[in-house]
Protein backbone atom coordinates (compact mmCIF):
# COMPACT_ATOMS: atom_id res chain seq x y z
CA UNK A 1 0.00 0.00 0.00
CA UNK A 2 1.09 3.54 -0.65
CA UNK A 3 -0.44 6.45 1.21
CA UNK A 4 -0.17 10.19 0.70
CA UNK A 5 -2.19 13.35 0.96
CA UNK A 6 -3.52 15.11 -2.12
CA UNK A 7 -4.64 18.68 -1.51
CA UNK A 8 -5.39 17.89 2.12
CA UNK A 9 -7.13 14.55 1.63
CA UNK A 10 -5.60 11.19 2.45
CA UNK A 11 -5.28 8.60 -0.32
CA UNK A 12 -4.37 4.94 0.09
CA UNK A 13 -3.67 2.81 -2.96
CA UNK A 14 -2.97 -0.86 -3.53
CA UNK A 15 -4.67 -1.68 -6.82
CA UNK A 16 -3.12 0.64 -9.37
CA UNK A 17 -0.84 0.21 -12.35
CA UNK A 18 2.66 0.82 -10.93
CA UNK A 19 3.53 2.76 -14.10
CA UNK A 20 0.97 5.45 -13.26
CA UNK A 21 2.52 8.91 -13.11
CA UNK A 22 1.42 11.69 -10.79
CA UNK A 23 0.04 13.61 -13.77
CA UNK A 24 -2.00 10.66 -15.00
CA UNK A 25 -3.33 10.04 -11.50
CA UNK A 26 -4.28 13.69 -11.03
CA UNK A 27 -6.03 14.18 -14.35
CA UNK A 28 -7.54 10.76 -15.11
CA UNK A 29 -8.18 9.29 -11.66
CA UNK A 30 -8.93 12.38 -9.59
CA UNK A 31 -10.10 14.89 -12.17
CA UNK A 32 -7.51 17.47 -11.04
CA UNK A 33 -7.14 19.12 -14.44
CA UNK A 34 -5.42 22.25 -13.10
CA UNK A 35 -2.13 20.41 -13.67
CA UNK A 36 -1.23 20.50 -17.37
CA UNK A 37 0.72 18.20 -19.65
CA UNK A 38 3.21 19.90 -21.92
CA UNK A 39 6.22 17.97 -23.17
CA UNK A 40 5.66 14.78 -21.19
CA UNK A 41 9.40 14.47 -20.63
CA UNK A 42 10.22 16.73 -17.68
CA UNK A 43 11.55 19.63 -19.75
CA UNK A 44 8.90 22.36 -19.90
CA UNK A 45 7.60 22.49 -16.30
CA UNK A 46 3.92 22.94 -17.25
CA UNK A 47 3.07 19.92 -15.10
CA UNK A 48 4.95 21.15 -12.01
CA UNK A 49 3.38 20.30 -8.67
CA UNK A 50 4.56 20.96 -5.13
CA UNK A 51 5.05 18.36 -2.42
CA UNK A 52 6.01 18.26 1.22
CA UNK A 53 7.45 15.30 3.07
CA UNK A 54 5.37 14.40 6.09
CA UNK A 55 6.95 14.14 9.55
CA UNK A 56 6.06 10.48 9.80
CA UNK A 57 8.49 9.60 7.01
CA UNK A 58 12.15 8.99 7.77
CA UNK A 59 14.17 11.87 6.43
CA UNK A 60 17.58 11.19 4.88
CA UNK A 61 20.21 12.29 7.35
CA UNK A 62 22.93 14.62 6.20
CA UNK A 63 25.83 15.72 8.36
CA UNK A 64 27.29 19.15 8.83
CA UNK A 65 30.97 19.94 9.25
CA UNK A 66 30.76 19.02 12.95
CA UNK A 67 29.34 15.59 12.22
CA UNK A 68 25.90 16.51 13.55
CA UNK A 69 22.89 15.38 11.60
CA UNK A 70 20.90 17.92 9.69
CA UNK A 71 18.15 17.74 7.12
CA UNK A 72 19.10 19.67 4.00
CA UNK A 73 15.89 18.87 2.16
CA UNK A 74 13.62 21.93 2.02
CA UNK A 75 10.15 21.47 3.51
CA UNK A 76 8.52 22.11 0.12
CA UNK A 77 9.85 20.89 -3.20
CA UNK A 78 8.66 20.73 -6.80
CA UNK A 79 8.56 17.81 -9.22
CA UNK A 80 7.58 17.23 -12.83
CA UNK A 81 4.39 15.25 -12.41
CA UNK A 82 4.53 13.93 -15.98
CA UNK A 83 7.52 11.64 -15.29
CA UNK A 84 7.18 11.07 -11.52
CA UNK A 85 5.51 7.83 -10.46
CA UNK A 86 2.62 8.39 -8.08
CA UNK A 87 4.22 5.81 -5.76
CA UNK A 88 7.06 8.30 -5.14
CA UNK A 89 4.53 10.47 -3.35
CA UNK A 90 4.19 7.86 -0.59
CA UNK A 91 4.50 9.70 2.73
CA UNK A 92 4.13 13.11 1.12
CA UNK A 93 1.54 15.85 0.85
CA UNK A 94 0.99 16.55 -2.84
CA UNK A 95 -0.37 19.98 -3.79
CA UNK A 96 -1.69 21.41 -7.05
CA UNK A 97 -2.33 25.02 -8.03
CA UNK A 98 -6.01 24.91 -7.07
CA UNK A 99 -5.08 24.08 -3.46
CA UNK A 100 -2.91 27.15 -2.85
CA UNK A 101 -5.70 29.71 -2.57
CA UNK A 102 -7.66 30.08 0.66
CA UNK A 103 -11.05 29.18 -0.75
CA UNK A 104 -13.20 27.44 1.88
CA UNK A 105 -16.42 28.15 -0.01
CA UNK A 106 -15.02 26.87 -3.31
CA UNK A 107 -16.05 30.13 -4.96
CA UNK A 108 -13.58 31.84 -7.32
CA UNK A 109 -14.67 35.37 -6.42
CA UNK A 110 -14.40 34.77 -2.68
CA UNK A 111 -11.00 33.08 -2.74
CA UNK A 112 -7.93 34.70 -1.23
CA UNK A 113 -5.21 33.93 -3.75
CA UNK A 114 -1.82 32.75 -2.66
CA UNK A 115 0.81 35.54 -2.94
CA UNK A 116 2.31 33.75 -5.96
CA UNK A 117 -1.07 33.69 -7.68
CA UNK A 118 -1.93 37.27 -6.73
CA UNK A 119 1.45 38.52 -7.94
CA UNK A 120 0.97 36.80 -11.31
CA UNK A 121 -2.38 38.60 -11.66
CA UNK A 122 -1.01 42.01 -10.73
CA UNK A 123 2.07 41.69 -12.95
CA UNK A 124 0.17 40.27 -15.94
CA UNK A 125 2.31 37.15 -15.81
CA UNK A 126 -0.06 34.97 -17.84
CA UNK A 127 -1.15 35.12 -21.46
CA UNK A 128 -2.33 31.81 -22.90
CA UNK A 129 -2.26 30.39 -19.37
CA UNK A 130 -1.14 26.86 -20.22
CA UNK A 131 2.19 27.12 -18.44
CA UNK A 132 0.82 29.30 -15.62
CA UNK A 133 -0.02 26.55 -13.07
CA UNK A 134 3.54 25.24 -13.31
CA UNK A 135 5.05 28.70 -12.84
CA UNK A 136 2.73 29.35 -9.89
CA UNK A 137 3.81 26.13 -8.17
CA UNK A 138 7.52 26.93 -8.64
CA UNK A 139 7.04 30.46 -7.31
CA UNK A 140 4.86 29.27 -4.44
CA UNK A 141 7.52 26.74 -3.47
CA UNK A 142 10.33 29.29 -3.21
CA UNK A 143 7.97 31.69 -1.43
CA UNK A 144 6.88 29.17 1.20
CA UNK A 145 10.42 27.96 1.86
CA UNK A 146 11.63 31.54 2.16
CA UNK A 147 8.75 32.41 4.48
CA UNK A 148 9.52 29.53 6.81
CA UNK A 149 13.23 30.31 6.81
CA UNK A 150 12.74 34.02 7.48
CA UNK A 151 10.18 33.35 10.18
CA UNK A 152 12.99 31.71 12.13
CA UNK A 153 15.48 34.46 11.31
CA UNK A 154 12.98 37.21 12.09
CA UNK A 155 12.86 36.10 15.70
CA UNK A 156 16.49 37.19 16.00
CA UNK A 157 16.74 39.92 13.38
CA UNK A 158 13.25 41.34 13.23
CA UNK A 159 13.06 41.66 9.44
CA UNK A 160 11.91 39.14 6.87
CA UNK A 161 14.26 38.38 3.98
CA UNK A 162 13.16 39.49 0.52
CA UNK A 163 13.62 37.09 -2.35
CA UNK A 164 16.40 38.21 -4.66
CA UNK A 165 16.28 38.38 -8.43
CA UNK A 166 18.65 35.40 -8.69
CA UNK A 167 16.53 33.31 -6.31
CA UNK A 168 13.38 33.98 -8.32
CA UNK A 169 15.09 33.18 -11.62
CA UNK A 170 16.57 29.98 -10.17
CA UNK A 171 13.15 28.88 -8.89
CA UNK A 172 11.56 29.08 -12.37
CA UNK A 173 14.58 27.81 -14.31
CA UNK A 174 12.71 24.56 -14.96
CA UNK A 175 9.62 26.29 -16.40
CA UNK A 176 9.32 27.41 -20.02
CA UNK A 177 6.99 30.10 -21.36
CA UNK A 178 6.47 30.64 -25.07
CA UNK A 179 4.13 33.64 -25.20
CA UNK A 180 4.10 35.86 -22.10
CA UNK A 181 7.84 36.32 -21.72
CA UNK A 182 9.78 36.00 -18.50
CA UNK A 183 9.96 39.66 -17.42
CA UNK A 184 6.44 39.87 -15.92
CA UNK A 185 6.81 36.43 -14.34
CA UNK A 186 10.07 37.44 -12.66
CA UNK A 187 8.43 40.68 -11.53
CA UNK A 188 5.66 38.58 -9.99
CA UNK A 189 8.25 36.53 -8.13
CA UNK A 190 9.81 39.67 -6.71
CA UNK A 191 6.39 41.03 -5.68
CA UNK A 192 5.29 37.93 -3.73
CA UNK A 193 7.08 38.84 -0.51
CA UNK A 194 5.55 42.34 -0.51
CA UNK A 195 2.06 40.90 -0.88
CA UNK A 196 2.68 38.44 1.94
CA UNK A 197 4.06 41.10 4.26
CA UNK A 198 1.16 43.41 3.49
CA UNK A 199 -1.33 40.72 4.38
CA UNK A 200 0.49 39.98 7.62
CA UNK A 201 0.43 43.70 8.48
CA UNK A 202 -3.29 43.81 7.76
CA UNK A 203 -3.73 40.56 9.69
CA UNK A 204 -5.50 39.06 6.71
CA UNK A 205 -6.31 35.38 6.94
CA UNK A 206 -3.59 33.55 5.04
CA UNK A 207 -3.69 29.87 4.24
CA UNK A 208 -0.79 28.23 6.06
CA UNK A 209 0.82 25.45 4.08
CA UNK A 210 3.52 24.63 6.63
CA UNK A 211 3.96 20.99 7.37
CA UNK A 212 2.79 20.90 11.00
CA UNK A 213 -0.44 22.79 10.44
CA UNK A 214 -1.14 20.95 7.23
CA UNK A 215 -0.85 17.53 8.83
CA UNK A 216 -2.90 18.58 11.85
CA UNK A 217 -5.67 19.72 9.55
CA UNK A 218 -5.43 16.63 7.38
CA UNK A 219 -5.48 14.18 10.23
CA UNK A 220 -8.71 15.65 11.54
CA UNK A 221 -10.50 16.08 8.22
CA UNK A 222 -13.53 13.94 7.58
CA UNK A 223 -12.93 14.06 3.85
CA UNK A 224 -10.04 11.61 3.92
CA UNK A 225 -10.54 9.05 1.21
CA UNK A 226 -9.28 5.57 0.44
CA UNK A 227 -8.96 5.38 -3.32
CA UNK A 228 -9.12 2.48 -5.72
CA UNK A 229 -11.35 0.33 -3.49
CA UNK A 230 -8.68 -0.91 -1.10
CA UNK A 231 -9.76 -4.25 0.39
CA UNK A 232 -10.55 -3.98 4.08
CA UNK A 233 -8.09 -6.69 5.04
CA UNK A 234 -5.24 -4.67 3.53
CA UNK A 235 -5.93 -1.37 5.26
CA UNK A 236 -4.29 -2.34 8.55
CA UNK A 237 -1.79 -4.82 7.19
CA UNK A 238 1.74 -4.50 8.58
CA UNK A 239 4.41 -3.63 6.01
CA UNK A 240 5.95 -6.69 4.41
CA UNK A 241 9.18 -6.37 2.50
CA UNK A 242 8.15 -9.11 0.02
CA UNK A 243 4.56 -7.92 -0.49
CA UNK A 244 4.03 -5.56 -3.44
CA UNK A 245 2.90 -2.07 -2.50
CA UNK A 246 0.96 -1.82 -5.77
CA UNK A 247 -0.49 -4.66 -7.79
CA UNK A 248 -2.57 -4.48 -10.94
CA UNK A 249 -3.15 -7.10 -13.64
CA UNK A 250 0.12 -8.88 -12.85
CA UNK A 251 2.16 -5.68 -12.70
CA UNK A 252 3.79 -5.12 -9.33
CA UNK A 253 5.70 -2.43 -7.47
CA UNK A 254 7.83 -3.22 -4.42
CA UNK A 255 8.97 -0.62 -1.91
CA UNK A 256 11.67 -2.13 0.33
CA UNK A 257 12.49 -0.17 3.48
CA UNK A 258 15.99 -1.51 4.13
CA UNK A 259 18.98 -2.93 2.29
CA UNK A 260 18.08 -6.42 3.53
CA UNK A 261 14.59 -6.12 2.07
CA UNK A 262 16.01 -4.72 -1.16
CA UNK A 263 18.45 -7.62 -1.45
CA UNK A 264 15.64 -10.10 -0.84
CA UNK A 265 13.18 -8.55 -3.30
CA UNK A 266 15.80 -8.11 -6.01
CA UNK A 267 17.03 -11.68 -5.60
CA UNK A 268 13.46 -12.89 -6.11
CA UNK A 269 12.90 -10.53 -9.05
CA UNK A 270 16.27 -10.09 -10.79
CA UNK A 271 14.66 -8.80 -14.00
CA UNK A 272 12.76 -6.04 -12.21
CA UNK A 273 13.20 -2.39 -13.14
CA UNK A 274 15.01 -0.55 -10.34
CA UNK A 275 13.48 2.91 -9.88
CA UNK A 276 15.12 5.71 -7.91
CA UNK A 277 14.03 9.23 -8.95
CA UNK A 278 12.96 8.13 -12.41
CA UNK A 279 13.89 11.40 -14.12
CA UNK A 280 15.09 9.42 -17.13
CA UNK A 281 13.23 6.14 -16.65
CA UNK A 282 9.98 8.10 -16.50
CA UNK A 283 10.38 8.85 -20.19
CA UNK A 284 10.24 5.12 -20.93
CA UNK A 285 6.63 5.29 -19.75
CA UNK A 286 5.58 8.61 -21.27
CA UNK A 287 7.57 8.59 -24.52
CA UNK A 288 8.13 4.93 -25.31
CA UNK A 289 4.92 3.61 -23.70
CA UNK A 290 6.75 0.89 -21.79
CA UNK A 291 4.59 -0.90 -19.23
CA UNK A 292 7.09 -2.19 -16.68
CA UNK A 293 5.89 -5.47 -15.19
CA UNK A 294 7.88 -5.36 -11.93
CA UNK A 295 9.30 -2.18 -10.41
CA UNK A 296 11.47 -2.01 -7.29
CA UNK A 297 11.33 1.51 -5.93
CA UNK A 298 14.27 2.67 -3.81
CA UNK A 299 12.71 5.75 -2.19
CA UNK A 300 12.15 3.96 1.14
CA UNK A 301 15.71 2.65 1.56
CA UNK A 302 17.21 5.39 3.72
CA UNK A 303 20.63 3.67 3.84
CA UNK A 304 21.06 4.58 0.17
CA UNK A 305 20.47 8.28 0.92
CA UNK A 306 23.23 8.77 3.48
CA UNK A 307 26.84 9.85 3.14
CA UNK A 308 29.99 9.32 5.15
CA UNK A 309 33.76 9.72 5.16
CA UNK A 310 35.74 6.50 4.81
CA UNK A 311 39.39 5.64 5.37
CA UNK A 312 40.84 5.29 1.88
CA UNK A 313 42.81 2.18 2.86
CA UNK A 314 39.55 0.28 3.34
CA UNK A 315 38.56 0.86 -0.29
CA UNK A 316 39.60 -2.22 -2.25
CA UNK A 317 39.56 -0.31 -5.53
CA UNK A 318 42.11 2.24 -4.31
CA UNK A 319 45.29 0.88 -5.88
CA UNK A 320 47.35 3.78 -4.56
CA UNK A 321 46.43 3.44 -0.89
CA UNK A 322 50.08 3.03 0.08
CA UNK A 323 51.21 5.96 -2.03
CA UNK A 324 52.20 9.08 -0.11
CA UNK A 325 50.10 11.16 -2.52
CA UNK A 326 47.05 8.92 -2.12
CA UNK A 327 43.99 10.44 -0.42
CA UNK A 328 43.58 9.68 3.24
CA UNK A 329 39.78 9.76 3.09
CA UNK A 330 36.97 9.03 0.66
CA UNK A 331 33.61 10.74 0.45
CA UNK A 332 30.98 7.99 0.16
CA UNK A 333 27.69 9.11 -1.38
CA UNK A 334 24.69 6.78 -1.22
CA UNK A 335 23.38 5.94 -4.67
CA UNK A 336 19.89 7.28 -3.95
CA UNK A 337 21.02 10.71 -2.82
CA UNK A 338 19.30 13.31 -4.97
CA UNK A 339 21.14 16.26 -6.44
CA UNK A 340 19.48 18.48 -3.86
CA UNK A 341 20.63 16.24 -1.01
CA UNK A 342 24.18 16.05 -2.37
CA UNK A 343 24.55 19.79 -2.86
CA UNK A 344 25.44 20.83 0.73
CA UNK A 345 27.88 17.91 1.00
CA UNK A 346 29.66 18.81 -2.22
CA UNK A 347 29.74 22.49 -1.25
CA UNK A 348 31.76 21.43 1.78
CA UNK A 349 34.19 19.00 0.12
CA UNK A 350 34.11 19.79 -3.62
CA UNK A 351 32.97 23.39 -4.13
CA UNK A 352 33.87 23.39 -7.85
CA UNK A 353 31.67 20.32 -8.30
CA UNK A 354 28.78 21.94 -6.42
CA UNK A 355 28.95 25.10 -8.54
CA UNK A 356 28.05 23.19 -11.70
CA UNK A 357 24.76 21.99 -10.22
CA UNK A 358 22.94 25.15 -11.30
CA UNK A 359 23.77 24.11 -14.87
CA UNK A 360 22.37 20.61 -14.42
CA UNK A 361 18.71 20.10 -15.33
CA UNK A 362 16.12 22.05 -13.30
CA UNK A 363 15.01 22.31 -9.65
CA UNK A 364 12.25 19.78 -10.36
CA UNK A 365 14.74 17.27 -11.75
CA UNK A 366 17.39 17.93 -9.09
CA UNK A 367 14.81 17.24 -6.39
CA UNK A 368 14.22 13.72 -7.74
CA UNK A 369 17.24 12.69 -9.82
CA UNK A 370 19.92 10.65 -8.03
CA UNK A 371 23.65 10.15 -8.42
CA UNK A 372 23.25 6.38 -8.78
CA UNK A 373 20.59 6.77 -11.43
CA UNK A 374 22.64 9.25 -13.44
CA UNK A 375 25.54 6.78 -13.50
CA UNK A 376 23.59 3.54 -13.97
CA UNK A 377 21.63 5.10 -16.81
CA UNK A 378 24.95 5.16 -18.70
CA UNK A 379 23.96 8.04 -20.93
CA UNK A 380 26.92 9.41 -22.91
CA UNK A 381 25.67 12.93 -22.11
CA UNK A 382 25.17 12.40 -18.38
CA UNK A 383 26.60 15.32 -16.42
CA UNK A 384 28.00 13.51 -13.38
CA UNK A 385 30.07 10.61 -14.83
CA UNK A 386 32.80 12.70 -16.53
CA UNK A 387 33.24 14.76 -13.36
CA UNK A 388 33.45 11.64 -11.22
CA UNK A 389 35.91 10.09 -13.68
CA UNK A 390 38.14 13.14 -13.33
CA UNK A 391 37.93 12.77 -9.55
CA UNK A 392 39.08 9.13 -9.83
CA UNK A 393 35.85 7.88 -8.23
CA UNK A 394 34.94 4.25 -7.61
CA UNK A 395 31.54 2.62 -7.70
CA UNK A 396 30.18 0.12 -5.15
CA UNK A 397 28.03 -2.56 -6.81
CA UNK A 398 25.97 -5.29 -5.21
CA UNK A 399 24.91 -8.44 -7.05
CA UNK A 400 21.98 -10.30 -5.49
CA UNK A 401 20.95 -13.89 -6.06
CA UNK A 402 18.54 -16.33 -4.38
CA UNK A 403 20.17 -18.68 -1.88
CA UNK A 404 18.30 -21.88 -2.71
CA UNK A 405 21.04 -24.31 -1.74
CA UNK A 406 21.71 -22.97 1.73
CA UNK A 407 18.12 -22.18 2.67
CA UNK A 408 16.48 -25.22 1.11
CA UNK A 409 13.32 -23.15 0.71
CA UNK A 410 11.23 -22.02 -2.20
CA UNK A 411 12.21 -18.75 -3.79
CA UNK A 412 9.46 -16.83 -2.02
CA UNK A 413 10.75 -17.75 1.41
CA UNK A 414 14.48 -18.08 0.76
CA UNK A 415 17.18 -15.85 2.03
CA UNK A 416 19.28 -13.99 -0.47
CA UNK A 417 23.00 -13.89 -0.87
CA UNK A 418 24.90 -11.09 -2.47
CA UNK A 419 28.39 -10.20 -3.49
CA UNK A 420 29.84 -6.70 -3.32
CA UNK A 421 32.51 -5.24 -5.55
CA UNK A 422 34.06 -1.81 -5.65
CA UNK A 423 35.64 -0.96 -8.99
CA UNK A 424 37.02 2.21 -10.57
CA UNK A 425 34.23 4.09 -12.32
CA UNK A 426 36.35 4.04 -15.47
CA UNK A 427 35.79 0.25 -15.64
CA UNK A 428 32.01 0.49 -15.14
CA UNK A 429 31.00 1.72 -18.61
CA UNK A 430 31.35 -0.93 -21.33
CA UNK A 431 29.50 0.39 -24.38
CA UNK A 432 26.53 2.56 -25.22
CA UNK A 433 24.00 1.98 -22.42
CA UNK A 434 25.96 -1.09 -21.28
CA UNK A 435 27.63 -1.34 -17.87
CA UNK A 436 28.91 -3.85 -15.33
CA UNK A 437 25.40 -4.08 -13.88
CA UNK A 438 23.74 -7.46 -14.34
CA UNK A 439 20.27 -8.78 -13.63
CA UNK A 440 19.88 -8.60 -9.86
CA UNK A 441 22.52 -5.88 -9.43
CA UNK A 442 22.28 -2.33 -8.12
CA UNK A 443 24.53 0.58 -7.23
CA UNK A 444 25.13 1.00 -3.50
CA UNK A 445 27.37 4.06 -3.35
CA UNK A 446 29.99 6.20 -5.06
CA UNK A 447 33.44 6.63 -3.46
CA UNK A 448 35.24 9.90 -4.22
CA UNK A 449 38.79 10.54 -2.95
CA UNK A 450 39.06 13.86 -1.15
CA UNK A 451 41.36 16.32 -2.88
CA UNK A 452 44.67 17.67 -1.57
CA UNK A 453 45.66 21.33 -1.64
CA UNK A 454 47.80 20.74 -4.72
CA UNK A 455 44.90 19.28 -6.70
CA UNK A 456 42.64 21.53 -8.75
CA UNK A 457 39.27 20.71 -10.34
CA UNK A 458 37.89 22.51 -13.40
CA UNK A 459 34.50 21.73 -14.96
CA UNK A 460 33.02 23.18 -18.14
CA UNK A 461 29.64 22.28 -19.65
CA UNK A 462 28.48 23.36 -23.11
CA UNK A 463 24.75 23.37 -23.86
CA UNK A 464 22.32 25.38 -25.97
CA UNK A 465 20.56 26.74 -22.89
CA UNK A 466 22.40 27.81 -19.77
CA UNK A 467 19.89 26.04 -17.50
CA UNK A 468 17.60 23.06 -17.85
CA UNK A 469 19.48 21.54 -20.79
CA UNK A 470 21.55 18.49 -21.55
CA UNK A 471 25.20 18.68 -22.52
CA UNK A 472 26.54 18.99 -26.03
CA UNK A 473 29.86 18.21 -24.36
CA UNK A 474 31.35 18.39 -20.89
CA UNK A 475 34.98 18.46 -19.81
CA UNK A 476 36.15 17.93 -16.25
CA UNK A 477 39.86 18.14 -15.40
CA UNK A 478 41.63 17.37 -12.15
CA UNK A 479 45.17 18.73 -12.31
CA UNK A 480 47.73 17.76 -9.64
CA UNK A 481 50.69 20.12 -9.37
CA UNK A 482 53.94 20.05 -7.43
CA UNK A 483 54.35 21.74 -4.06
CA UNK A 484 55.62 24.92 -5.71
CA UNK A 485 52.79 24.80 -8.27
CA UNK A 486 55.15 24.88 -11.26
CA UNK A 487 54.92 21.29 -12.52
CA UNK A 488 52.00 19.01 -13.44
CA UNK A 489 52.42 15.74 -11.54
CA UNK A 490 49.17 14.04 -12.54
CA UNK A 491 46.07 14.75 -14.60
CA UNK A 492 42.62 13.25 -15.02
CA UNK A 493 40.50 14.48 -17.95
CA UNK A 494 36.86 13.28 -18.02
CA UNK A 495 34.81 13.75 -21.18
CA UNK A 496 31.05 13.58 -21.65
CA UNK A 497 29.01 13.85 -24.86
CA UNK A 498 32.03 12.90 -26.96
CA UNK A 499 31.57 9.16 -27.45
CA UNK A 500 29.24 6.26 -26.75
CA UNK A 501 30.29 6.30 -23.09
CA UNK A 502 31.78 8.82 -20.65
CA UNK A 503 35.53 8.31 -20.70
CA UNK A 504 38.97 9.47 -19.63
CA UNK A 505 41.24 11.12 -22.18
CA UNK A 506 44.23 8.98 -21.27
CA UNK A 507 46.53 10.13 -24.08
CA UNK A 508 45.84 13.75 -23.25
CA UNK A 509 46.49 13.04 -19.59
CA UNK A 510 49.88 11.54 -20.33
CA UNK A 511 50.74 14.54 -22.48
CA UNK A 512 50.24 16.79 -19.45
CA UNK A 513 52.07 14.75 -16.81
CA UNK A 514 55.56 16.01 -16.14
CA UNK A 515 55.03 19.25 -18.06
CA UNK A 516 55.29 22.78 -16.75
CA UNK A 517 52.07 24.14 -15.28
CA UNK A 518 51.73 26.68 -18.07
CA UNK A 519 49.12 27.40 -20.71
CA UNK A 520 51.48 26.15 -23.45
CA UNK A 521 51.40 22.66 -21.91
CA UNK A 522 47.61 22.54 -22.18
CA UNK A 523 47.71 23.82 -25.76
CA UNK A 524 50.05 21.00 -26.70
CA UNK A 525 47.96 18.40 -24.86
CA UNK A 526 44.81 19.63 -26.61
CA UNK A 527 46.32 18.62 -29.93
CA UNK A 528 46.33 14.93 -28.96
CA UNK A 529 42.70 14.80 -27.80
CA UNK A 530 41.77 13.35 -31.19
CA UNK A 531 43.78 10.25 -30.25
CA UNK A 532 41.43 9.64 -27.31
CA UNK A 533 38.04 10.14 -28.92
CA UNK A 534 36.26 10.62 -32.21
CA UNK A 535 33.21 12.73 -31.32
CA UNK A 536 29.74 11.99 -32.63
CA UNK A 537 27.49 14.27 -34.65
CA UNK A 538 23.88 14.66 -33.54
CA UNK A 539 21.18 17.30 -33.15
CA UNK A 540 23.10 19.02 -30.34
CA UNK A 541 26.44 19.52 -32.07
CA UNK A 542 28.62 18.36 -34.94
CA UNK A 543 31.75 16.27 -34.63
CA UNK A 544 33.91 19.22 -35.65
CA UNK A 545 32.29 21.57 -33.17
CA UNK A 546 32.74 19.18 -30.28
CA UNK A 547 36.40 18.56 -31.11
CA UNK A 548 37.20 22.24 -31.33
CA UNK A 549 35.26 23.26 -28.24
CA UNK A 550 36.75 20.57 -26.00
CA UNK A 551 40.26 21.55 -27.09
CA UNK A 552 39.58 25.16 -26.18
CA UNK A 553 38.02 24.11 -22.86
CA UNK A 554 41.19 22.23 -21.95
CA UNK A 555 43.24 25.33 -22.71
CA UNK A 556 40.80 27.32 -20.59
CA UNK A 557 41.53 24.96 -17.70
CA UNK A 558 45.22 25.77 -18.11
CA UNK A 559 44.51 29.49 -18.03
CA UNK A 560 42.44 29.04 -14.87
CA UNK A 561 45.23 27.04 -13.25
CA UNK A 562 47.83 29.70 -14.01
CA UNK A 563 45.51 32.52 -12.94
CA UNK A 564 44.82 30.76 -9.64
CA UNK A 565 48.54 30.33 -8.98
CA UNK A 566 49.21 33.99 -9.70
CA UNK A 567 46.41 35.00 -7.34
CA UNK A 568 47.83 32.84 -4.55
CA UNK A 569 51.32 34.35 -4.93
CA UNK A 570 50.12 37.95 -5.29
Amino acid sequence: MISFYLNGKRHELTQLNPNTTVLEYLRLHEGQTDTKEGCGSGDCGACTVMAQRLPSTNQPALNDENGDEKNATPPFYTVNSCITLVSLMDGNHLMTASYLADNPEHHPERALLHPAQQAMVECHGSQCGFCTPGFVMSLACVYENNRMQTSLEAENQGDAKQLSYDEVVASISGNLCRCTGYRPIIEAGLLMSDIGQQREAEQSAVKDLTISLATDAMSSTKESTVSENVPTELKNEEPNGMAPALNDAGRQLYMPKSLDELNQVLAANPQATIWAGGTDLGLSVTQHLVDHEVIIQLSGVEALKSWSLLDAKSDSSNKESNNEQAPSQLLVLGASMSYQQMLPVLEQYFPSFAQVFERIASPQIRNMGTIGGNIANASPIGDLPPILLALDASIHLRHCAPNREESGNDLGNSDSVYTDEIIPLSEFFLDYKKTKLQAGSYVVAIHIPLMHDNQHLFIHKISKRYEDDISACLLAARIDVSADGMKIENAKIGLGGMAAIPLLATTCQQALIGQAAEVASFEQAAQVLSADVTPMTDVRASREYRSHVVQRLLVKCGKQLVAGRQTETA
Side-chain angles (χ1 to χ4, degrees), residues 293-560:
E293 292 187 4
V294 180
I295 296 174
I296 299 177
Q297 184 174 300
L298 304 180
S299 59
V301 185
E302 297 299 326
L304 294 178
K305 301 178 185 178
S306 62
W307 69 275
S308 62
L309 292 176
L310 179 69
D311 185 350
K313 293 182 179 180
S314 62
D315 186 354
S316 59
S317 70
N318 185 13
K319 300 176 182 179
E320 300 180 354
S321 59
N322 295 321
N323 190 319
E324 292 181 0
Q325 298 298 321
S328 59
Q329 286 186 309
L330 303 170
L331 175 63
V332 181
L333 299 174
S336 287
M337 289 186 73
S338 70
Y339 290 87
Q340 191 63 35
Q341 291 165 349
M342 286 190 294
L343 183 58
V345 183
L346 294 179
E347 286 176 337
Q348 181 178 349
Y349 294 103
F350 297 94
S352 298
F353 195 170
Q355 288 175 3
V356 81
F357 270 40
E358 66 180 17
R359 298 287 317 280
I360 297 176
S362 65
Q364 295 94 318
I365 296 296
R366 293 194 295 269
N367 286 330
M368 301 302 293
T370 65
I371 182 173
N374 192 258
I375 295 171
N377 183 44
S379 169
I381 54 175
D383 288 313
L384 299 186
I387 303 173
L388 294 169
L389 285 170
L391 289 171
D392 209 16
S394 302
I395 186 168
H396 179 181
L397 305 178
R398 177 165 294 177
H399 310 288
C400 301
N403 186 9
R404 289 192 182 92
E405 294 182 1
E406 293 184 13
S407 64
N409 297 328
D410 294 333
L411 180 62
N413 297 319
S414 67
D415 296 329
S416 63
V417 294
Y418 60 84
T419 56
D420 284 0
E421 64 171 333
I422 301 175
I423 61 174
L425 186 61
S426 57
E427 299 176 7
F428 177 72
F429 303 104
L430 304 177
D431 202 347
Y432 179 73
K433 291 286 187 176
K434 292 183 179 180
T435 69
K436 284 291 187 73
L437 288 173
Q438 310 163 6
S441 302
Y442 66 95
V443 181
V444 178
I446 308 300
H447 297 194
I448 311 174
L450 296 187
M451 294 173 61
H452 296 300
D453 292 339
N454 67 327
Q455 295 178 319
H456 306 272
L457 178 65
F458 307 102
I459 305 169
H460 297 290
K461 173 179 175 176
I462 302 297
S463 57
K464 292 187 176 182
R465 291 197 304 260
Y466 184 82
E467 303 161 317
D468 194 18
D469 201 2
I470 54 181
S471 299
C473 54
L474 189 149
L475 180 143
R478 195 203 75 193
I479 308 299
D480 303 359
V481 297
S482 57
D484 60 4
M486 302 306 295
K487 181 180 178 181
I488 300 173
E489 294 190 338
N490 198 3
K492 294 287 184 178
I493 312 294
L495 300 177
M498 299 290 287
I501 60 173
L503 51 79
L504 286 170
T506 54
T507 305
C508 181
Q509 292 170 181
Q510 289 300 318
L512 283 171
I513 296 174
Q515 301 300 312
E518 300 293 345
V519 175
S521 300
F522 288 84
E523 291 176 338
Q524 293 175 1
Q527 299 305 312
V528 301
L529 268 171
S530 58
D532 288 309
V533 61
T534 301
M536 54 186 176
T537 294
D538 58 20
V539 295
R540 285 173 291 277
S542 68
R543 176 184 297 108
E544 295 76 15
Y545 175 84
R546 284 188 164 102
S547 295
H548 178 72
V549 167
V550 168
Q551 287 178 341
R552 301 318 301 166
L553 290 179
L554 183 62
V555 174
K556 184 176 182 179
C557 293
K559 293 180 178 179
Q560 290 175 307

Side-chain angles (χ1 to χ4, degrees), residues 48 50 52 92 98 140 142 233 289 296 302 315 413:
T48 300
M50 188 165 72
Q52 185 181 40
N92 284 259
S98 61
V142 70
E233 63 271 17
L289 306 182
I296 299 177
E302 297 299 326
D315 186 354
N413 297 319

Side-chain angles (χ1 to χ4, degrees), residues 22 26 35 47-51 77-79 81 94-96 137:
V22 171
L26 289 174
T35 303
C47 68
T48 300
V49 293
M50 188 165 72
Y77 66 100
T78 53
V79 302
S81 62
L94 175 63
M95 290 161 274
T96 66
M137 298 310 291

Side-chain angles (χ1 to χ4, degrees), residues 176-193:
L176 303 181
C177 176
R178 293 177 173 86
C179 61
T180 304
Y182 295 97
R183 180 186 54 79
I185 299 173
I186 295 172
E187 290 177 349
L190 295 172
L191 184 62
M192 293 187 300
S193 297

